[in-house]
Structures are given as C-alpha cells and as structure tokens.
Amino acid sequence: MTLVLGGTPVSRGILIAPAVVLQRDRLDVREVRIPPEAVAGEVSRYEKALRETHKQLRAIRKRIPSQTPDEIAAFIDAHLLMLADKALSDVPVKTITEQHCNAEWALQLQRDGLVAVFDAMDDPYLRTRRDDVDYVVHKILQNLLNISGNQYKDPDGRLASCILITDDISAEEVMTFHGMGVAGLITEQGGAHSHAAILARSLGIPVVAGAHWARRYLRDGDTIVLDGLRGLILASPSEVELDYFRRRQSEIVDYVRRLDVVRSAPALSMDGCTIRLMANVELPEDIQAAEEVNAEGIGLYRTEILYLQQTSVPEEEFQYLIYKDAARILNGKPLTIRTLDLGGDKCLRDNEEAQANKCNPALGLRAVRLSLREQDAFAHQLRAILRVSAEGPVRLMLPMLTSLEELFRIKTLLDEQRQILRARGVPFDEHMQVGGMIEVPAAAIIADQFARHLDFLSIGTNDLVQYTLAVDRMDEDVDYLYNPLHPSVLRLLKMTIDAGRKAGIPVAMCGEIAGDTRFTRLLLGLGLREFSMYPATLLEVKDVIAHSDIAHLEQRLQVLDQLATAEEVLSFVASLNAES
Ligand code: PEP
Ligand code: MG
C-alpha cells in the first residue's frame, strides 16, 4: 500500500528514486576484535580522541560571549568533568585491554551501561543527564571515527541518484550531498526560505522539507516519488501512481522545451519596455548555467560558499582567481559580487556552536556587521573584488546595510584598499560601481538616502520579508506567516523602487520572488526593471514579461495602497496574472 506524507514544497521537480535514510544522530558503531599486539595502539587511539574532545569542549567554552547566562558555561563545565571522569577515561580502556575490542565498541558498551543507570532513576532531572552522557560520547565517537559534525563519506556510492531523507540540512551539506550525486532531499525540519533551500533550488535538486517523522516511516531502498512543487512524498507507490507521475515528468520536459523559443529573444514587454534579466549564482559552475539561459549578467554572486567550503578564511589571491574566472566566462557582461553574508544560518564550521548559543542569530553579527568586525578578512575580499574589476564590468554589492554610518565605514575601508593596490601597482577600475542590498526595513525606509551614496540598489526580499514581518525565515513554525504579499512588504518595495528612480540609479531585485512567475506582473507594475534569479527560472519570467503590458500593469497597481490585507493582495495579484 502507498504511504503518503506531506511537507513544505521547497524546490520543484518530480523524482522517482530509491530512498536512503540518514540517521546521523546515531553513529554506526560495530564490534571489531583486535589482536593482542594491537591493544596498546587501540588504547592510545582512544586516549587521543579524549584529548581531542577535551580541546574542542574547551574551545567552545572559550567562545561563549561574556553576557551569556552562567548556566550555559556550567553545562560545558559539566561535560568537561564527565570527560575526565573514570567512567569515560578508564572503563573503556579496561574494556579494550580485557576484551580485545575496538575503542568505539568499548565506549558504546560503557555508554549503554551509564544510560541504563540514568534511565532507571526516579528523579526526572537526573534522568535528563543521560542526554549529557550521549552528547559527550557522541563527541568522542566523532573524534574516533575522524568525522566532524557535518562531513560525510559515501565509499560505496549508495547516495548516487537517491532521495536522501534526513533531519535537517545546512547549505554546506547541500553542497556535499550534491557532490555525491544525491538526486532529491526530504528533511523532517526546515522550510522554503533558508539558504540551504535557496541553494538546492539553484542546483535543481527537488526538495520537500518539514516532513515530520519521515525517517520513522520511510525505509532504505523504498521507492519514493518526490513532488517538490506540491510538497508530496509517496512511498512504495502503485503502478497507476507511478504512471501518473511519469506523465507529469514528461509534461515538465515538454514545458521546458517550449520555453526554449524565448532563450535568445530580448526580455521585452508587449508594450516595448526592456527588462534586465540577470542571474543569481553561488558556485563558479552556476555561471555556465546563467550563460545557457542568456542572462544579461550576474545580479548576485553569493560568496559565502567560498568560505563555507574552506577550513580557513580564503585569502585575496584565492578569491581573486575565482572571481577572475567568472569574469572570463561572462566575457564583458556585468558581474555583481556580493561581499560576505556570513552569520545567521550561514556560519563557518568552527563558529557553528558559538552561533547556536545566540538567542537570535538573524539579528546578530551577520553580513556587513561581521565584515566590519573582521576587517582583515574583509580587506582581502575587497581587494580581490577591486582587482577583478580590471577584467570586466564588476559591481560590488553590500549585504544587509542598515545605516549610512555602516556604508561610510565600508567606503573608507574600500578607499584604503584602493590605496594599497595603487601602491602595489595593481590595476583596478577606479569607477567600479558600489551598490547596496535593501533587505532590512530600516534601509528601505531611508532608501532615498542610500540612493545618494550608492550606484545601484538591489532588493533582497528573502530577508526583507523576514525582518519586516518579524518571521524567522528558518523557523517552520511561523512559515505560514512568511508572506511577501503582506501590504507592508509591498510598500517597502515601492518606496525603494521609487527612491532609486528619483535618484536616477537602477534598482534590481535578487530575492527569490524575482524568479517566481506568480510575482512577475506585480513587480513590473511596481516599477521594477531589473530582476535577478537562479538561472532555471529565467526563461519562465521572460515568457511572462513577453505577455505583459507594463503601462497597463502600472495603471492597475494604483489601487495597491487600498489593499489592507495579504489576502486582498493575493486575489488582486491572481486577477493580474489571469489577464491575457
Ligand atoms: C535576500 O535576502 O533576498 C537575498 C538575496 O540574500 P540571501 O538570501 O543570501 O540572504
Ligand atoms: Mg539576504
């Protein structure tokens, strides 16, 4: 019988493939007999893992910000004590020596014994201490098995072409699994607006998120139908169901083929207005995809992935070579490089635990705030971007600006890097354009002020929606409130577009709604003339533009201020989209 599960549609596409269930919270520990002469080596391997774990816990302890409540530090102190306790330092060593077994197995036996003691306790508080045991044991096991929290190996290639089912996923893991050939993803947590979701969409990996208990109901090897557009999962489907989804797959192929006719046509509306269609890219390879759909250039090059893939902060030369390669492929088309937007849900591996301790990372040390604090690293990036401006039309874009003071500080830093390059005799474009993202309501409200000091603006609706509506884009519990059609969001869009128009500078949009055809007519009517999106959606948006009369849309949009609720806006937009 078919099992049907629902979730949040994250990345469209229909897949029929076998399931692989990832139980990463449980490490795979098996018993291995070891010869007597290898016992001493095994003991020292265990002791090394203990020392490594101790070092990592100390590092976490050190990174706790001073204002954090004492209880947090006390938790880590408790873990350090537990690590030093005989129960974990001596008993497993004794087991290795006496039973001639591997360290992992010895530790697992000890863990099971300790957990059983805690489980038997009447006191509910003491019972919860078993979680601490599990946490510490898990950390030691990771060190024994030589894996960090988010590194995977797939020696037998079972992940290739599978649908992977996991608890949650980070942008970095999306990259890793993509590299292993994973065809689709189902996650128990998460929603459609995280960076992992955006990355999966841009890589064309169908995803359904928020499928609660998926790991309990789905089994390794089950045949799964994954419908990323509708958020639907079918396990062990019948022949009739398979037939239906195979037909839907071929309809999609036909639709994509039909769109091919607009590939080389200009993005022109019915009434002759030219629209600029650019691409968002994350990886150097994406630039090729942008070229294939004839994007007019790159409107958003997210640089975080370069950092997330490295163990240390990438230096000027490393970044320069990557950007230079992008400029070479673009061959004279504009390349908009966004400076680092780390923080929030995108954090460096060695910073993850510190971020997790923050009450509200999205409101914390993110994007230009982090860059202004880590000025050495920022200077490397600024110089790399300046240098590549000698290779073609490069635009530098600043994420998450909130105040003019921030902008002025960055401009001073940028001038200093120009000076350094001049002194080195390194060429760069003295007139390289500098733009800013409008993704915080504070910036949208003073967009007219920003427009005086910047060469272009680009609206980041992914964040603008979250900050305007006070809805964490990562939190599936409030996902239903994440609505770009909220009248407040639309007013901020209008204010920003009008501010740019008055100042005579271009205003683009690079948030996800720029590539969603449900919003294209609305955005055209609001006055948007530059859209940047992941390449796979560009031809669809171009097709809608070709069937839209912009003067008419602007006329229709005049009633927008009278629409008081998101529902009213939704039905208004539906009526715009239904017009021929
Ligand atoms: C946005 O916020 O709309 C945006 C494009 O930036 P990111 O999704 O990378 O935060
Ligand atoms: Mg953003």
Side-chain angles (χ1 to χ4, degrees):
M1 207 180 72
T2 312
L3 173 75
V4 182
L5 297 178
T8 308
V10 169
S11 178
R12 63 193 180 164
I14 292 176
L15 265 182
I16 302 170
V20 171
V21 182
L22 189 72
Q23 302 283 8
R24 63 168 131 200
D25 33 3
R26 259 181 269 146
L27 293 173
D28 192 14
V29 173
R30 300 189 191 164
E31 181 179 11
V32 181
R33 298 261 123 216
I34 50 171
E37 63 277 17
V39 166
E42 195 62 8
V43 168
S44 70
R45 196 167 73 82
Y46 182 69
E47 288 171 344
K48 183 164 169 250
L50 284 181
R51 284 196 299 278
E52 203 46 46
T53 311
H54 187 268
K55 223 163 70 192
Q56 289 159 355
L57 288 173
R58 295 279 324 152
I60 296 171
R61 174 83 168 75
K62 262 218 303 274
R63 282 200 301 262
I64 297 176
S66 50
Q67 67 276 25
T68 310
D70 291 345
E71 296 89 288
I72 302 289
F75 273 131
I76 298 169
D77 287 338
H79 293 155
L80 280 162
L81 281 175
M82 208 173 263
L83 195 62
D85 194 278
K86 282 199 179 95
L88 289 182
S89 62
D90 291 2
V91 177
V93 170
K94 200 158 169 261
T95 312
I96 297 168
T97 319
E98 288 174 359
Q99 297 188 18
H100 291 192
C101 65
N102 52 326
E104 290 87 349
W105 186 249
L107 178 62
Q108 185 74 26
L109 287 178
Q110 176 63 349
R111 177 253 169 219
D112 292 348
L114 292 170
V115 163
V117 174
F118 280 112
D119 279 348
M121 285 179 180
D122 284 338
D123 185 320
Y125 173 75
L126 284 177
R127 265 206 313 270
T128 63
R129 301 290 81 196
R130 61 163 290 176
D131 296 342
D132 294 315
V133 174
D134 265 338
Y135 176 79
V136 176
V137 166
H138 189 78
K139 278 219 152 305
I140 306 171
L141 277 177
Q142 283 185 330
N143 283 312
L144 278 171
L145 296 166
N146 215 6
I147 49 173
S148 89
N150 43 20
Q151 279 178 337
Y152 301 94
K153 296 192 174 70
D154 182 28
D156 44 8
R158 72 188 185 122
L159 296 186
S161 307
C162 80
I163 294 175
L164 189 71
I165 298 142
T166 174
D167 50 350
D168 203 357
I169 199 158
S170 67
E172 186 196 355
E173 288 164 344
V174 170
M175 288 292 308
T176 308
F177 292 134
H178 176 62
M180 291 173 173
V182 167
L185 286 164
I186 296 171
T187 65
E188 291 183 334
Q189 291 147 39
H193 316 292
S194 66
H195 289 97
I198 292 171
L199 185 59
R201 279 196 287 276
S202 88
L203 292 170
I205 305 174
V207 181
V208 173
H212 301 284
W213 307 113
R215 287 182 304 166
R216 179 174 294 181
Y217 294 118
L218 306 177
R219 299 263 162 272
D220 269 353
D222 279 354
T223 296
I224 303 280
V225 172
L226 174 67
D227 182 342
L229 183 67
R230 298 192 212 163
L232 203 62
I233 300 156
L234 273 67
S236 311
S238 66
E239 264 317 306
V240 176
E241 287 158 340
L242 279 174
D243 191 47
Y244 169 79
F245 282 100
R246 284 191 192 115
R247 265 186 288 124
R248 297 255 311 114
Q249 280 179 319
S250 63
E251 278 164 23
I252 294 171
V253 172
D254 285 350
Y255 173 62
V256 172
R257 208 171 286 142
R258 276 204 308 278
L259 279 177
D260 212 46
V261 294
V262 293
R263 185 183 302 269
S264 51
L268 208 61
S269 70
M270 274 160 69
D271 52 337
C273 185
T274 304
I275 305 298
R276 206 168 187 210
L277 296 185
M278 314 274 274
N280 291 355
V281 298
E282 312 245 351
L283 302 167
E285 306 85 280
D286 295 341
I287 299 187
Q288 204 48 54
E291 283 291 276
E292 276 161 25
V293 291
N294 267 332
E296 287 184 46
I298 304 304
L300 166 64
Y301 187 155
R302 288 186 171 96
T303 55
E304 297 78 63
I305 289 291
L306 299 182
Y307 287 67
L308 292 170
Q309 287 176 322
Q310 300 294 311
T311 43
S312 57
V313 174
E315 299 202 331
E316 174 190 327
E317 188 64 19
F318 173 85
Q319 294 190 56
Y320 165 67
L321 292 174
I322 289 185
Y323 304 152
K324 186 175 156 192
D325 205 40
R328 181 189 55 77
I329 301 170
L330 287 167
N331 194 21
K333 290 183 184 172
L335 169 62
T336 312
I337 305 177
R338 180 175 76 179
T339 63
L340 198 57
D341 182 13
L342 280 183
D345 65 319
K346 295 177 278 193
C347 49
L348 290 179
R349 221 175 280 170
D350 63 353
N351 209 18
E352 253 168 39
E353 316 239 11
Q355 280 283 342
N357 285 334
K358 297 269 185 183
C359 332
N360 215 331
L363 303 183
L365 198 57
R366 204 193 134 179
V368 287
R369 300 172 185 182
L370 184 63
S371 296
L372 281 168
R373 189 161 99 168
E374 306 292 333
Q375 291 197 7
D376 279 352
F378 193 31
H380 276 270
Q381 182 167 43
L382 293 178
R383 287 197 301 273
I385 297 173
L386 277 168
R387 280 173 63 189
V388 81
S389 72
E391 314 284 336
V394 165
R395 312 196 296 175
L396 181 147
M397 184 158 81
L398 301 164
M400 227 191 129
L401 286 170
T402 308
S403 68
L404 283 180
E405 288 85 344
E406 265 169 354
L407 176 60
F408 297 155
R409 284 180 65 197
I410 294 166
K411 284 196 159 194
T412 306
L413 210 63
L414 191 57
D415 277 338
E416 285 167 15
Q417 306 320 306
R418 288 191 178 104
Q419 274 303 107
I420 293 174
L421 292 181
R422 276 187 210 110
R424 278 203 227 149
V426 175
F428 63 90
D429 175 5
E430 293 279 354
H431 306 289
M432 180 185 73
Q433 294 202 346
V434 177
M437 288 188 69
I438 301 295
E439 45 186 351
V440 177
I445 293 166
I446 57 163
D448 55 335
Q449 298 290 350
F450 275 111
R452 285 193 202 149
H453 301 279
L454 288 165
D455 299 310
F456 65 94
L457 303 177
S458 185
I459 308 174
T461 46
N462 307 340
D463 278 313
L464 189 61
V465 173
Q466 100 162 327
Y467 293 128
T468 306
L469 304 181
V471 173
D472 188 334
R473 65 196 261 192
M474 299 289 295
D475 186 345
E476 59 173 307
D477 289 334
V478 287
D479 200 58
Y480 73 104
L481 293 171
Y482 186 98
N483 190 349
L485 294 181
H486 191 293
S488 316
V489 175
L490 298 188
R491 285 192 193 190
L492 293 176
L493 298 185
K494 182 91 185 105
M495 282 172 74
T496 307
I497 293 167
D498 288 349
R501 199 177 261 176
K502 260 199 203 130
I505 63 164
V507 177
M509 178 178 288
C510 59
E512 291 291 284
I513 66 168
D516 186 331
T517 50
R518 288 170 303 172
F519 298 89
T520 308
R521 284 186 166 174
L522 170 74
L523 296 172
L524 291 170
L526 284 171
L528 191 75
R529 298 292 177 263
E530 183 172 326
F531 295 61
S532 191
M533 64 206 80
Y534 61 94
T537 57
L538 194 140
L539 298 182
E540 291 166 44
V541 171
K542 198 193 269 191
D543 192 43
V544 174
I545 292 168
H547 292 93
S548 299
D549 177 338
I550 293 182
H552 168 72
L553 289 172
E554 287 191 331
Q555 188 69 30
R556 291 275 272 123
L557 265 275
Q558 283 179 4
V559 297
L560 200 65
D561 273 351
Q562 293 155 33
L563 305 177
T565 66
E567 256 179 47
E568 283 171 33
V569 178
L570 181 65
S571 59
F572 173 72
V573 170
S575 74
L576 282 186
N577 291 343
E579 288 176 4
S580 54

